[in-house]
Amino acid sequence: MIQTDILIIGAGPTGLFTVFEAGLLKLRCHLIDALPQPGGQCSEIYPKKPIYDIPAYPEILAGDLTHKLLEQIKQFEPGFTLGERADTIEKQEDGTFIVTTNKGTKHQAPVVAIAGGLGSFEPRKPLIPNIADYEDKGVEYMIKEPELYRDKDVVIAGGGDSALDWSIFLTDIAKSVTLIHRRNEFRGALDSVEKVQELKDQGKIQLITPAEVKGISGNGKVEGVLVEEEGKEAYILKTDHFIPLFGLAPKLGPIANWGLEIEKNAIKVNNALDYQTNVPGIYAIGDVNTYPGKLKLILCGFHEATLMCQSAFQRIHPDKKYVMKYTTVGGVDGFDGTRKEAPKAVVKAIN
């Protein structure tokens, strides 16, 4: 039985930052994640994609953000159960919870913080009859390692931010990039749309609209896609990779059966106080929760984690009062014996 103060379900950015805020309160954390490494979507789906709205970082790659968060929480020695999904939860007579994973690993804690992002993800696949035959043989539903496409012909399908952003990014890596969309209009950031237009004008991106990919051909691997373009006969476009980026369908998974109040595939919380669910002792923070005015942003998850930890402290130590001190004043004492503090002022007379 793994025992801790706060059991965090989900090791994405919000879950990782929770470790830091809990550590300031001398609370230990353990994280469960179905993915084999920490970082959530930032590590699994778009590690090489830049993020622009993290405070103090004009631009940071999603994977680098994960590394920075892990570096920040290292001194608080969090535990990890990775590659396992939180399956069941049982409340004990003493008020603690036991969470068991799909592999039978048991965890016990007085506080459970669900930071599972949008839950587990499944790609939205295009209705192409033989697409399953080419999965991982030239068909990829997400880009994990851009170097895979070095000097290759790539066809991307989609009309949202991911399709636009990856089309832009791969122009410096792939031999050729073709973007196919069933409409002339794109639903994405204006600067991304304008950048694709610029690259098209420069001959660095081939844009085919309105059109759809209706089939895949190849001997054991992708060698071409069947394109149906408006006003033309269907034709085969040669390519090494076909990347349909039609988004991901989120699912809460087993958490949906934990007796929590669910609204539109998200967990309802009390945002007026501490992001607690309808079950006392279970909190939900980050993209997995919902409340009036909710914004699904990483920085909002950081804020929610901070307030949640204050409430968790009171639940775990009802007889103690925590006096908040700024880290610039009180420093940061790690569980590993390390200490971070601002340099003390030097007292010296001036002659």
Side-chain angles (χ1 to χ4, degrees):
M1 182 82 72
I2 296 171
Q3 295 183 319
T4 190
D5 294 319
I6 301 178
L7 181 63
I8 304 168
I9 299 173
T14 296
L16 294 176
F17 188 68
T18 302
V19 176
F20 178 79
E21 289 297 324
L24 296 179
L25 301 170
K26 309 301 181 189
L27 300 176
R28 289 189 176 272
C29 294
H30 190 94
L31 301 95
I32 302 174
D33 203 296
L35 297 175
Q37 72 283 320
Q41 297 179 58
C42 287
S43 295
E44 182 70 8
I45 300 176
Y46 49 86
K48 301 295 185 181
K49 191 173 182 179
I51 303 174
Y52 301 104
D53 60 356
I54 302 299
Y57 286 101
E59 177 182 337
I60 184 169
L61 295 180
D64 291 344
L65 176 62
T66 298
H67 293 315
K68 291 289 185 182
L69 286 165
L70 288 169
E71 181 182 340
Q72 186 179 32
I73 66 175
K74 183 179 179 181
Q75 65 182 140
F76 293 124
E77 301 181 324
F80 290 92
T81 298
L82 299 174
E84 300 184 31
R85 183 187 66 239
D87 230 9
T88 63
I89 189 166
E90 301 172 82
K91 191 166 186 178
Q92 307 302 295
E93 290 185 4
D94 62 359
T96 63
F97 300 91
I98 292 181
V99 174
T100 306
T101 70
N102 60 317
K103 294 186 179 179
T105 308
K106 293 184 179 294
H107 311 74
Q108 186 172 23
V111 168
V112 174
I114 301 172
L118 296 174
S120 58
F121 290 88
E122 292 182 6
R124 293 190 176 97
K125 302 179 182 182
L127 298 175
I128 298 174
N130 61 341
I131 193 167
D133 298 335
Y134 293 97
E135 290 174 356
D136 298 321
K137 299 174 184 176
V139 169
E140 293 89 31
Y141 299 108
M142 58 186 73
I143 296 175
K144 297 179 183 179
E145 182 45 68
E147 280 299 315
L148 176 67
Y149 308 100
R150 173 73 63 182
D151 299 326
K152 302 291 185 180
D153 293 315
V154 177
V155 171
I156 294 175
D161 283 313
S162 290
L164 292 165
D165 292 346
W166 281 117
S167 294
I168 295 167
F169 191 90
L170 291 178
T171 54
D172 293 328
I173 296 174
K175 178 181 177 183
S176 71
V177 175
T178 302
L179 177 58
I180 298 176
H181 183 39
R182 58 195 176 99
R183 297 189 185 94
N184 291 319
E185 301 79 21
F186 288 84
R187 289 182 177 272
L190 181 59
D191 59 339
S192 296
V193 176
E194 291 176 344
K195 183 63 175 177
V196 167
Q197 178 68 61
E198 179 186 332
L199 291 169
K200 173 182 177 288
D201 294 342
Q202 294 173 0
K204 294 182 178 180
I205 289 179
Q206 181 183 4
L207 188 63
I208 304 177
T209 61
E212 291 186 73
V213 173
K214 291 293 189 177
I216 303 171
S217 60
N219 185 16
K221 63 181 181 67
V222 172
E223 295 175 4
V225 292
L226 178 66
V227 180
E228 288 189 1
E229 185 177 354
E230 190 173 291
K232 295 184 179 181
E233 288 188 10
Y235 58 91
I236 294 291
L237 177 64
K238 290 185 178 180
T239 188
D240 300 303
H241 293 272
F242 173 51
I243 311 169
L245 298 175
F246 299 136
L248 300 166
K251 293 185 178 180
L252 275 178
I255 293 173
N257 303 317
W258 286 7
L260 305 174
E261 192 173 353
I262 307 294
E263 182 180 283
K264 294 181 180 178
N265 210 40
I267 303 170
K268 289 187 70 173
V269 295
N270 173 14
N271 69 306
L273 184 61
D274 54 10
Y275 304 98
Q276 198 158 192
T277 69
N278 60 305
V279 179
I282 301 180
Y283 301 78
I285 52 178
D287 288 357
V288 77
N289 74 15
T290 186
Y291 53 83
K294 168 70 179 180
L295 293 176
K296 293 182 183 294
L297 296 171
I298 292 175
L299 61 92
C300 293
F302 291 166
H303 163 78
E304 294 164 10
T306 304
L307 297 187
M308 182 279 294
C309 286
Q310 297 289 322
S311 177
F313 179 86
Q314 293 301 319
R315 181 177 179 82
I316 296 170
H317 301 296
D319 56 336
K320 291 184 180 180
K321 183 172 181 176
Y322 174 73
V323 180
M324 192 192 85
K325 293 181 181 179
Y326 298 114
T327 55
T328 52
V329 176
V332 178
D333 291 304
F335 298 154
D336 58 359
T338 61
R339 176 171 173 77
K340 295 178 181 178
E341 61 181 331
K344 290 182 170 56
V346 177
V347 178
K348 186 177 181 180
I350 298 177
N351 296 323

